Every structure is written in C-alpha cells, then in structure tokens.
Amino acid sequence: MNALLTVAGQEIRAGIRNRWVVATTLILAALALSLVLLGSAPAGTTGASPTAVVVVSLATLSIFLVPLIALLLSFDAVVGEAERGTLLLLLAYPVARWQVVLGKFVGHTAILALATVVGYGAAALLLFLRDAAEPGDWAGFAGLIGTSILLGAAFVALGSLASIAVRERATAAGLAVALWLVFVLIYDSALLGLLVVDQGQVVSGGLFDALLLLNPTDVYRLINLTGSGAASLLSGMSAPGEADQLSTKLLYGALCAWILVPLGLGVLVFSKRQP
C-alpha cells in the first residue's frame, strides 16, 4: 500500500510541476462560473431554479470536457515512461506491477477530482452568495460533482489501459482521441441511426437501455439529466425504455464497472508486458 501511495504521490507532484492541476482547475472553474453568470436565463420561462439550470448545463458540457481531460492526463502514464526509459528504473524498486497501475490511476484521478471539486465548488459558492439555490438543489449539485469524478475516473482507467496496451506514445495519443470520439460523439449517433433503421422491430426498450449502459457518458447523462423532475424538464429527457430497469443503483453500478473493468484489464496486460 505504501508503494501504491508513493506512485500516486509522484503522479500528483508531476501534475503540479507540469501545471496540469492548475490548468484543469482553471478550465473547469471558468466553465462552471460562466454557466452560473450566463446560463440561468431559461429559468424564468421554465420555472426551474437557477441551480437546476446550472446542473443541467454543467452535466451536458462535462460529457465533452471531463473525458477529454481524463484521457489527456492518462494516455502516456505507462508508454511515456517506457519511451523515456524511466519505466525500467521504476520496476527496479520493490513495487508490484499492479501497484504501479493503480498508483498512477489514483494519482491522475486525484488530480481530476481536485480540479472538479474546486472548479465546480466555485460555482456552488457563487450560487450560494447570490442566494440562487433552493435547499433541495444542493443534493443535485453534489451528485453532479460526484458523478463527474466517477466519469473522469472511468476515462482515466480507459486511458491507462490504452497506455499499457501500446508501445509508442503517438499510438497511445491516437487511441485516446479515438476513445473520446467513439464514446462522446460516434456511439450516440450510431445508436440513433440504429433506432431510425430498426423502427422498433428489434431494439426494444430493454435492449435500448442495455445499449446505453455500454457507454459511460450515457450512464452519466442518465444519472444527472433524468434524476429529478427539474433536470428532466430542462434537458427534455425522461428515463428511456423501461424506467424501472434503470434504477439509480444500477446506473451507479454501471459507472463503477466502467472504472473497474478497464483498470483490471490494465493490471492484467501490464503484468505480462515486457518493459
């Protein structure tokens, strides 16, 4: 455990030296604060509170931004060290390979979590100072922060797996871009095209729900944009398919699986990799 924390601490220190922590925090804070200042205009017509509007807006934009930041943090976690020749030195220390993978994952996730809490927390503080939030809105905002961290962790795990599976940093970068394009842009477009072609003949409500669970960004979207009446009203979404099959526990479980499965595969592949 000490070795794991040492590796994680090294990644955090590297993130501080490389300005990743500051840059990520500033990006998320600027996004969140701009939405607080400019994004509450629809509240007057929908009757929803400004906080609900901010939660929906942040959740929508986080789907694009958080996975990208997570992949940029993690795509060269292993392959970058291999190219620089420091991976052999790291493995020469009394540290297990699984500790290397988990330590880097913990370090990168901690950077992203810190940036998310501080960045989105600044927006929450501004909402509090402006007295723009109702008491029931804070649970939704806290859920947004928590699920954003989980979404980031899922893509950190995917980026780490990509970094372990290839031998060149350029290949890992291309794979990271491909992962972002597939999960953030292409998957939903392909799913929509499938629904149009199928016309409800094969893809039933239950199968559609299962297909949504195969994309971590869709799981995140369902948690934050269909979790409350205000969010559903503002986002124009309702629970798809058979709503009772997609309980909150199932959605959170699916998001956690998107963290654990790539991470487990990364540990397995790295255990067989020659430095």
Side-chain angles (χ1 to χ4, degrees), residues 162-196:
S163 183
I164 293 168
V166 300
R167 291 288 180 176
E168 296 181 359
R169 190 171 182 270
T171 306
L175 189 53
V177 171
L179 287 170
W180 186 85
L181 288 173
V182 168
F183 286 117
V184 175
L185 298 178
I186 298 175
Y187 187 91
D188 286 339
S189 298
L191 188 56
L192 179 60
L194 175 63
L195 292 176
V196 171

PDB file of all heavy atoms in Angstrom, residues 162-196:
ATOM      1  N   ALA A 162      -5.129   2.074 -22.515  1.00  0.00           N
ATOM      2  CA  ALA A 162      -4.543   2.377 -23.820  1.00  0.00           C
ATOM      3  C   ALA A 162      -3.036   2.567 -23.708  1.00  0.00           C
ATOM      4  O   ALA A 162      -2.273   2.117 -24.573  1.00  0.00           O
ATOM      5  CB  ALA A 162      -5.192   3.629 -24.398  1.00  0.00           C
ATOM      6  N   SER A 163      -2.582   3.224 -22.639  1.00  0.00           N
ATOM      7  CA  SER A 163      -1.161   3.477 -22.443  1.00  0.00           C
ATOM      8  C   SER A 163      -0.382   2.189 -22.213  1.00  0.00           C
ATOM      9  O   SER A 163       0.772   2.068 -22.612  1.00  0.00           O
ATOM     10  CB  SER A 163      -0.963   4.426 -21.255  1.00  0.00           C
ATOM     11  OG  SER A 163       0.393   4.742 -21.068  1.00  0.00           O
ATOM     12  N   ILE A 164      -1.027   1.228 -21.574  1.00  0.00           N
ATOM     13  CA  ILE A 164      -0.378  -0.050 -21.284  1.00  0.00           C
ATOM     14  C   ILE A 164      -0.354  -0.951 -22.514  1.00  0.00           C
ATOM     15  O   ILE A 164       0.599  -1.699 -22.748  1.00  0.00           O
ATOM     16  CB  ILE A 164      -1.100  -0.752 -20.117  1.00  0.00           C
ATOM     17  CG1 ILE A 164      -0.906   0.043 -18.825  1.00  0.00           C
ATOM     18  CG2 ILE A 164      -0.620  -2.186 -19.948  1.00  0.00           C
ATOM     19  CD1 ILE A 164      -1.808  -0.404 -17.695  1.00  0.00           C
ATOM     20  N   ALA A 165      -1.400  -0.862 -23.335  1.00  0.00           N
ATOM     21  CA  ALA A 165      -1.579  -1.813 -24.434  1.00  0.00           C
ATOM     22  C   ALA A 165      -0.691  -1.536 -25.636  1.00  0.00           C
ATOM     23  O   ALA A 165      -0.508  -2.416 -26.482  1.00  0.00           O
ATOM     24  CB  ALA A 165      -3.044  -1.824 -24.872  1.00  0.00           C
ATOM     25  N   VAL A 166      -0.137  -0.319 -25.767  1.00  0.00           N
ATOM     26  CA  VAL A 166       0.648   0.029 -26.952  1.00  0.00           C
ATOM     27  C   VAL A 166       2.094   0.286 -26.564  1.00  0.00           C
ATOM     28  O   VAL A 166       2.432   0.388 -25.383  1.00  0.00           O
ATOM     29  CB  VAL A 166       0.050   1.266 -27.668  1.00  0.00           C
ATOM     30  CG1 VAL A 166      -1.380   0.989 -28.101  1.00  0.00           C
ATOM     31  CG2 VAL A 166       0.095   2.494 -26.756  1.00  0.00           C
ATOM     32  N   ARG A 167       2.946   0.415 -27.585  1.00  0.00           N
ATOM     33  CA  ARG A 167       4.383   0.579 -27.363  1.00  0.00           C
ATOM     34  C   ARG A 167       4.891   1.974 -27.681  1.00  0.00           C
ATOM     35  O   ARG A 167       6.024   2.299 -27.354  1.00  0.00           O
ATOM     36  CB  ARG A 167       5.136  -0.438 -28.227  1.00  0.00           C
ATOM     37  CG  ARG A 167       4.944  -1.869 -27.787  1.00  0.00           C
ATOM     38  CD  ARG A 167       5.688  -2.148 -26.509  1.00  0.00           C
ATOM     39  NE  ARG A 167       5.539  -3.528 -26.050  1.00  0.00           N
ATOM     40  CZ  ARG A 167       6.164  -4.034 -24.999  1.00  0.00           C
ATOM     41  NH1 ARG A 167       6.994  -3.268 -24.308  1.00  0.00           N
ATOM     42  NH2 ARG A 167       5.969  -5.281 -24.632  1.00  0.00           N
ATOM     43  N   GLU A 168       4.100   2.795 -28.342  1.00  0.00           N
ATOM     44  CA  GLU A 168       4.544   4.120 -28.730  1.00  0.00           C
ATOM     45  C   GLU A 168       3.570   5.172 -28.208  1.00  0.00           C
ATOM     46  O   GLU A 168       2.357   4.976 -28.219  1.00  0.00           O
ATOM     47  CB  GLU A 168       4.656   4.239 -30.256  1.00  0.00           C
ATOM     48  CG  GLU A 168       5.712   3.324 -30.855  1.00  0.00           C
ATOM     49  CD  GLU A 168       5.813   3.492 -32.356  1.00  0.00           C
ATOM     50  OE1 GLU A 168       5.049   4.307 -32.926  1.00  0.00           O
ATOM     51  OE2 GLU A 168       6.656   2.802 -32.964  1.00  0.00           O
ATOM     52  N   ARG A 169       4.138   6.295 -27.782  1.00  0.00           N
ATOM     53  CA  ARG A 169       3.332   7.372 -27.220  1.00  0.00           C
ATOM     54  C   ARG A 169       2.365   7.950 -28.255  1.00  0.00           C
ATOM     55  O   ARG A 169       1.229   8.282 -27.927  1.00  0.00           O
ATOM     56  CB  ARG A 169       4.253   8.472 -26.682  1.00  0.00           C
ATOM     57  CG  ARG A 169       3.569   9.537 -25.859  1.00  0.00           C
ATOM     58  CD  ARG A 169       4.589  10.441 -25.203  1.00  0.00           C
ATOM     59  NE  ARG A 169       3.949  11.444 -24.360  1.00  0.00           N
ATOM     60  CZ  ARG A 169       3.561  12.632 -24.789  1.00  0.00           C
ATOM     61  NH1 ARG A 169       3.754  12.967 -26.065  1.00  0.00           N
ATOM     62  NH2 ARG A 169       2.983  13.494 -23.975  1.00  0.00           N
ATOM     63  N   ALA A 170       2.807   8.060 -29.493  1.00  0.00           N
ATOM     64  CA  ALA A 170       1.943   8.587 -30.541  1.00  0.00           C
ATOM     65  C   ALA A 170       0.733   7.677 -30.760  1.00  0.00           C
ATOM     66  O   ALA A 170      -0.388   8.155 -30.986  1.00  0.00           O
ATOM     67  CB  ALA A 170       2.725   8.748 -31.843  1.00  0.00           C
ATOM     68  N   THR A 171       0.959   6.387 -30.690  1.00  0.00           N
ATOM     69  CA  THR A 171      -0.151   5.437 -30.838  1.00  0.00           C
ATOM     70  C   THR A 171      -1.135   5.572 -29.688  1.00  0.00           C
ATOM     71  O   THR A 171      -2.355   5.528 -29.883  1.00  0.00           O
ATOM     72  CB  THR A 171       0.386   3.997 -30.899  1.00  0.00           C
ATOM     73  OG1 THR A 171       1.360   3.899 -31.928  1.00  0.00           O
ATOM     74  CG2 THR A 171      -0.741   3.009 -31.177  1.00  0.00           C
ATOM     75  N   ALA A 172      -0.618   5.747 -28.484  1.00  0.00           N
ATOM     76  CA  ALA A 172      -1.481   5.931 -27.322  1.00  0.00           C
ATOM     77  C   ALA A 172      -2.306   7.200 -27.451  1.00  0.00           C
ATOM     78  O   ALA A 172      -3.487   7.229 -27.102  1.00  0.00           O
ATOM     79  CB  ALA A 172      -0.638   5.966 -26.046  1.00  0.00           C
ATOM     80  N   ALA A 173      -1.689   8.273 -27.963  1.00  0.00           N
ATOM     81  CA  ALA A 173      -2.417   9.522 -28.157  1.00  0.00           C
ATOM     82  C   ALA A 173      -3.538   9.345 -29.174  1.00  0.00           C
ATOM     83  O   ALA A 173      -4.664   9.816 -28.972  1.00  0.00           O
ATOM     84  CB  ALA A 173      -1.454  10.622 -28.616  1.00  0.00           C
ATOM     85  N   GLY A 174      -3.234   8.660 -30.278  1.00  0.00           N
ATOM     86  CA  GLY A 174      -4.271   8.404 -31.276  1.00  0.00           C
ATOM     87  C   GLY A 174      -5.388   7.542 -30.734  1.00  0.00           C
ATOM     88  O   GLY A 174      -6.568   7.780 -31.022  1.00  0.00           O
ATOM     89  N   LEU A 175      -5.034   6.554 -29.911  1.00  0.00           N
ATOM     90  CA  LEU A 175      -6.043   5.694 -29.313  1.00  0.00           C
ATOM     91  C   LEU A 175      -6.917   6.469 -28.329  1.00  0.00           C
ATOM     92  O   LEU A 175      -8.132   6.262 -28.248  1.00  0.00           O
ATOM     93  CB  LEU A 175      -5.364   4.512 -28.615  1.00  0.00           C
ATOM     94  CG  LEU A 175      -6.266   3.385 -28.108  1.00  0.00           C
ATOM     95  CD1 LEU A 175      -7.165   2.864 -29.199  1.00  0.00           C
ATOM     96  CD2 LEU A 175      -5.415   2.256 -27.525  1.00  0.00           C
ATOM     97  N   ALA A 176      -6.297   7.397 -27.590  1.00  0.00           N
ATOM     98  CA  ALA A 176      -7.064   8.227 -26.661  1.00  0.00           C
ATOM     99  C   ALA A 176      -8.064   9.104 -27.404  1.00  0.00           C
ATOM    100  O   ALA A 176      -9.222   9.251 -26.989  1.00  0.00           O
ATOM    101  CB  ALA A 176      -6.113   9.088 -25.835  1.00  0.00           C
ATOM    102  N   VAL A 177      -7.633   9.691 -28.506  1.00  0.00           N
ATOM    103  CA  VAL A 177      -8.544  10.502 -29.320  1.00  0.00           C
ATOM    104  C   VAL A 177      -9.680   9.638 -29.855  1.00  0.00           C
ATOM    105  O   VAL A 177     -10.851  10.052 -29.865  1.00  0.00           O
ATOM    106  CB  VAL A 177      -7.778  11.169 -30.484  1.00  0.00           C
ATOM    107  CG1 VAL A 177      -8.746  11.835 -31.457  1.00  0.00           C
ATOM    108  CG2 VAL A 177      -6.777  12.186 -29.945  1.00  0.00           C
ATOM    109  N   ALA A 178      -9.350   8.424 -30.296  1.00  0.00           N
ATOM    110  CA  ALA A 178     -10.372   7.519 -30.810  1.00  0.00           C
ATOM    111  C   ALA A 178     -11.388   7.158 -29.722  1.00  0.00           C
ATOM    112  O   ALA A 178     -12.595   7.103 -29.977  1.00  0.00           O
ATOM    113  CB  ALA A 178      -9.717   6.257 -31.371  1.00  0.00           C
ATOM    114  N   LEU A 179     -10.908   6.908 -28.509  1.00  0.00           N
ATOM    115  CA  LEU A 179     -11.815   6.598 -27.402  1.00  0.00           C
ATOM    116  C   LEU A 179     -12.764   7.759 -27.140  1.00  0.00           C
ATOM    117  O   LEU A 179     -13.972   7.559 -26.923  1.00  0.00           O
ATOM    118  CB  LEU A 179     -11.004   6.278 -26.144  1.00  0.00           C
ATOM    119  CG  LEU A 179     -10.281   4.931 -26.108  1.00  0.00           C
ATOM    120  CD1 LEU A 179      -9.332   4.872 -24.915  1.00  0.00           C
ATOM    121  CD2 LEU A 179     -11.289   3.793 -26.041  1.00  0.00           C
ATOM    122  N   TRP A 180     -12.232   8.978 -27.150  1.00  0.00           N
ATOM    123  CA  TRP A 180     -13.085  10.155 -26.918  1.00  0.00           C
ATOM    124  C   TRP A 180     -14.126  10.294 -28.027  1.00  0.00           C
ATOM    125  O   TRP A 180     -15.304  10.534 -27.752  1.00  0.00           O
ATOM    126  CB  TRP A 180     -12.209  11.409 -26.848  1.00  0.00           C
ATOM    127  CG  TRP A 180     -12.986  12.634 -26.472  1.00  0.00           C
ATOM    128  CD1 TRP A 180     -13.293  13.064 -25.212  1.00  0.00           C
ATOM    129  CD2 TRP A 180     -13.560  13.600 -27.371  1.00  0.00           C
ATOM    130  NE1 TRP A 180     -14.025  14.225 -25.270  1.00  0.00           N
ATOM    131  CE2 TRP A 180     -14.204  14.574 -26.574  1.00  0.00           C
ATOM    132  CE3 TRP A 180     -13.588  13.716 -28.759  1.00  0.00           C
ATOM    133  CZ2 TRP A 180     -14.866  15.663 -27.139  1.00  0.00           C
ATOM    134  CZ3 TRP A 180     -14.255  14.797 -29.316  1.00  0.00           C
ATOM    135  CH2 TRP A 180     -14.881  15.751 -28.505  1.00  0.00           C
ATOM    136  N   LEU A 181     -13.705  10.143 -29.260  1.00  0.00           N
ATOM    137  CA  LEU A 181     -14.637  10.277 -30.379  1.00  0.00           C
ATOM    138  C   LEU A 181     -15.736   9.219 -30.321  1.00  0.00           C
ATOM    139  O   LEU A 181     -16.914   9.516 -30.541  1.00  0.00           O
ATOM    140  CB  LEU A 181     -13.880  10.172 -31.707  1.00  0.00           C
ATOM    141  CG  LEU A 181     -12.996  11.360 -32.080  1.00  0.00           C
ATOM    142  CD1 LEU A 181     -12.177  11.046 -33.331  1.00  0.00           C
ATOM    143  CD2 LEU A 181     -13.840  12.614 -32.290  1.00  0.00           C
ATOM    144  N   VAL A 182     -15.350   7.975 -30.020  1.00  0.00           N
ATOM    145  CA  VAL A 182     -16.330   6.888 -30.003  1.00  0.00           C
ATOM    146  C   VAL A 182     -17.347   7.085 -28.890  1.00  0.00           C
ATOM    147  O   VAL A 182     -18.560   7.064 -29.126  1.00  0.00           O
ATOM    148  CB  VAL A 182     -15.613   5.525 -29.860  1.00  0.00           C
ATOM    149  CG1 VAL A 182     -16.630   4.425 -29.552  1.00  0.00           C
ATOM    150  CG2 VAL A 182     -14.856   5.192 -31.127  1.00  0.00           C
ATOM    151  N   PHE A 183     -16.873   7.290 -27.669  1.00  0.00           N
ATOM    152  CA  PHE A 183     -17.787   7.337 -26.539  1.00  0.00           C
ATOM    153  C   PHE A 183     -18.553   8.650 -26.428  1.00  0.00           C
ATOM    154  O   PHE A 183     -19.693   8.666 -25.948  1.00  0.00           O
ATOM    155  CB  PHE A 183     -17.033   7.066 -25.233  1.00  0.00           C
ATOM    156  CG  PHE A 183     -16.644   5.634 -25.052  1.00  0.00           C
ATOM    157  CD1 PHE A 183     -15.314   5.262 -24.991  1.00  0.00           C
ATOM    158  CD2 PHE A 183     -17.609   4.645 -24.941  1.00  0.00           C
ATOM    159  CE1 PHE A 183     -14.946   3.935 -24.821  1.00  0.00           C
ATOM    160  CE2 PHE A 183     -17.257   3.314 -24.780  1.00  0.00           C
ATOM    161  CZ  PHE A 183     -15.923   2.955 -24.719  1.00  0.00           C
ATOM    162  N   VAL A 184     -17.957   9.748 -26.868  1.00  0.00           N
ATOM    163  CA  VAL A 184     -18.599  11.056 -26.699  1.00  0.00           C
ATOM    164  C   VAL A 184     -19.435  11.443 -27.912  1.00  0.00           C
ATOM    165  O   VAL A 184     -20.511  12.041 -27.763  1.00  0.00           O
ATOM    166  CB  VAL A 184     -17.541  12.132 -26.403  1.00  0.00           C
ATOM    167  CG1 VAL A 184     -18.173  13.519 -26.337  1.00  0.00           C
ATOM    168  CG2 VAL A 184     -16.828  11.824 -25.088  1.00  0.00           C
ATOM    169  N   LEU A 185     -18.985  11.089 -29.114  1.00  0.00           N
ATOM    170  CA  LEU A 185     -19.674  11.557 -30.322  1.00  0.00           C
ATOM    171  C   LEU A 185     -20.294  10.431 -31.152  1.00  0.00           C
ATOM    172  O   LEU A 185     -21.478  10.471 -31.474  1.00  0.00           O
ATOM    173  CB  LEU A 185     -18.691  12.355 -31.198  1.00  0.00           C
ATOM    174  CG  LEU A 185     -18.113  13.634 -30.579  1.00  0.00           C
ATOM    175  CD1 LEU A 185     -17.118  14.269 -31.545  1.00  0.00           C
ATOM    176  CD2 LEU A 185     -19.219  14.619 -30.226  1.00  0.00           C
ATOM    177  N   ILE A 186     -19.492   9.438 -31.508  1.00  0.00           N
ATOM    178  CA  ILE A 186     -19.930   8.470 -32.510  1.00  0.00           C
ATOM    179  C   ILE A 186     -20.970   7.495 -31.972  1.00  0.00           C
ATOM    180  O   ILE A 186     -21.941   7.161 -32.665  1.00  0.00           O
ATOM    181  CB  ILE A 186     -18.704   7.699 -33.058  1.00  0.00           C
ATOM    182  CG1 ILE A 186     -17.748   8.672 -33.751  1.00  0.00           C
ATOM    183  CG2 ILE A 186     -19.127   6.597 -34.012  1.00  0.00           C
ATOM    184  CD1 ILE A 186     -16.451   8.034 -34.226  1.00  0.00           C
ATOM    185  N   TYR A 187     -20.805   7.035 -30.732  1.00  0.00           N
ATOM    186  CA  TYR A 187     -21.677   5.982 -30.204  1.00  0.00           C
ATOM    187  C   TYR A 187     -23.141   6.398 -30.238  1.00  0.00           C
ATOM    188  O   TYR A 187     -24.005   5.659 -30.717  1.00  0.00           O
ATOM    189  CB  TYR A 187     -21.251   5.627 -28.775  1.00  0.00           C
ATOM    190  CG  TYR A 187     -21.997   4.440 -28.209  1.00  0.00           C
ATOM    191  CD1 TYR A 187     -21.508   3.149 -28.363  1.00  0.00           C
ATOM    192  CD2 TYR A 187     -23.195   4.605 -27.504  1.00  0.00           C
ATOM    193  CE1 TYR A 187     -22.184   2.058 -27.845  1.00  0.00           C
ATOM    194  CE2 TYR A 187     -23.879   3.518 -26.998  1.00  0.00           C
ATOM    195  CZ  TYR A 187     -23.377   2.243 -27.161  1.00  0.00           C
ATOM    196  OH  TYR A 187     -24.061   1.165 -26.655  1.00  0.00           O
ATOM    197  N   ASP A 188     -23.450   7.583 -29.737  1.00  0.00           N
ATOM    198  CA  ASP A 188     -24.842   8.020 -29.692  1.00  0.00           C
ATOM    199  C   ASP A 188     -25.406   8.255 -31.084  1.00  0.00           C
ATOM    200  O   ASP A 188     -26.583   7.979 -31.339  1.00  0.00           O
ATOM    201  CB  ASP A 188     -24.966   9.298 -28.853  1.00  0.00           C
ATOM    202  CG  ASP A 188     -24.818   9.023 -27.370  1.00  0.00           C
ATOM    203  OD1 ASP A 188     -25.010   7.866 -26.972  1.00  0.00           O
ATOM    204  OD2 ASP A 188     -24.498   9.957 -26.618  1.00  0.00           O
ATOM    205  N   SER A 189     -24.566   8.772 -31.985  1.00  0.00           N
ATOM    206  CA  SER A 189     -25.031   8.957 -33.363  1.00  0.00           C
ATOM    207  C   SER A 189     -25.342   7.616 -34.016  1.00  0.00           C
ATOM    208  O   SER A 189     -26.351   7.464 -34.724  1.00  0.00           O
ATOM    209  CB  SER A 189     -23.967   9.703 -34.178  1.00  0.00           C
ATOM    210  OG  SER A 189     -23.728  10.987 -33.642  1.00  0.00           O
ATOM    211  N   ALA A 190     -24.471   6.622 -33.786  1.00  0.00           N
ATOM    212  CA  ALA A 190     -24.718   5.290 -34.333  1.00  0.00           C
ATOM    213  C   ALA A 190     -25.963   4.660 -33.715  1.00  0.00           C
ATOM    214  O   ALA A 190     -26.760   4.007 -34.415  1.00  0.00           O
ATOM    215  CB  ALA A 190     -23.498   4.401 -34.090  1.00  0.00           C
ATOM    216  N   LEU A 191     -26.152   4.876 -32.426  1.00  0.00           N
ATOM    217  CA  LEU A 191     -27.329   4.333 -31.759  1.00  0.00           C
ATOM    218  C   LEU A 191     -28.602   4.977 -32.298  1.00  0.00           C
ATOM    219  O   LEU A 191     -29.614   4.291 -32.509  1.00  0.00           O
ATOM    220  CB  LEU A 191     -27.213   4.561 -30.255  1.00  0.00           C
ATOM    221  CG  LEU A 191     -28.260   3.898 -29.358  1.00  0.00           C
ATOM    222  CD1 LEU A 191     -28.292   2.398 -29.593  1.00  0.00           C
ATOM    223  CD2 LEU A 191     -27.974   4.197 -27.893  1.00  0.00           C
ATOM    224  N   LEU A 192     -28.558   6.273 -32.532  1.00  0.00           N
ATOM    225  CA  LEU A 192     -29.714   6.959 -33.112  1.00  0.00           C
ATOM    226  C   LEU A 192     -30.002   6.440 -34.514  1.00  0.00           C
ATOM    227  O   LEU A 192     -31.170   6.206 -34.878  1.00  0.00           O
ATOM    228  CB  LEU A 192     -29.452   8.466 -33.153  1.00  0.00           C
ATOM    229  CG  LEU A 192     -30.563   9.337 -33.755  1.00  0.00           C
ATOM    230  CD1 LEU A 192     -31.856   9.184 -32.964  1.00  0.00           C
ATOM    231  CD2 LEU A 192     -30.127  10.802 -33.802  1.00  0.00           C
ATOM    232  N   GLY A 193     -28.950   6.243 -35.305  1.00  0.00           N
ATOM    233  CA  GLY A 193     -29.151   5.688 -36.639  1.00  0.00           C
ATOM    234  C   GLY A 193     -29.739   4.297 -36.588  1.00  0.00           C
ATOM    235  O   GLY A 193     -30.613   3.944 -37.404  1.00  0.00           O
ATOM    236  N   LEU A 194     -29.297   3.483 -35.631  1.00  0.00           N
ATOM    237  CA  LEU A 194     -29.844   2.140 -35.468  1.00  0.00           C
ATOM    238  C   LEU A 194     -31.331   2.189 -35.147  1.00  0.00           C
ATOM    239  O   LEU A 194     -32.132   1.404 -35.696  1.00  0.00           O
ATOM    240  CB  LEU A 194     -29.083   1.405 -34.367  1.00  0.00           C
ATOM    241  CG  LEU A 194     -29.593   0.013 -33.981  1.00  0.00           C
ATOM    242  CD1 LEU A 194     -29.483  -0.939 -35.158  1.00  0.00           C
ATOM    243  CD2 LEU A 194     -28.820  -0.526 -32.775  1.00  0.00           C
ATOM    244  N   LEU A 195     -31.721   3.110 -34.287  1.00  0.00           N
ATOM    245  CA  LEU A 195     -33.140   3.234 -33.923  1.00  0.00           C
ATOM    246  C   LEU A 195     -33.986   3.657 -35.120  1.00  0.00           C
ATOM    247  O   LEU A 195     -35.104   3.175 -35.303  1.00  0.00           O
ATOM    248  CB  LEU A 195     -33.289   4.247 -32.787  1.00  0.00           C
ATOM    249  CG  LEU A 195     -32.723   3.851 -31.426  1.00  0.00           C
ATOM    250  CD1 LEU A 195     -32.863   4.994 -30.428  1.00  0.00           C
ATOM    251  CD2 LEU A 195     -33.413   2.604 -30.894  1.00  0.00           C
ATOM    252  N   VAL A 196     -33.437   4.559 -35.938  1.00  0.00           N
ATOM    253  CA  VAL A 196     -34.177   5.016 -37.120  1.00  0.00           C
ATOM    254  C   VAL A 196     -34.360   3.878 -38.113  1.00  0.00           C
ATOM    255  O   VAL A 196     -35.451   3.680 -38.667  1.00  0.00           O
ATOM    256  CB  VAL A 196     -33.443   6.207 -37.774  1.00  0.00           C
ATOM    257  CG1 VAL A 196     -34.078   6.554 -39.114  1.00  0.00           C
ATOM    258  CG2 VAL A 196     -33.457   7.414 -36.858  1.00  0.00           C
TER     259      VAL A 196
END
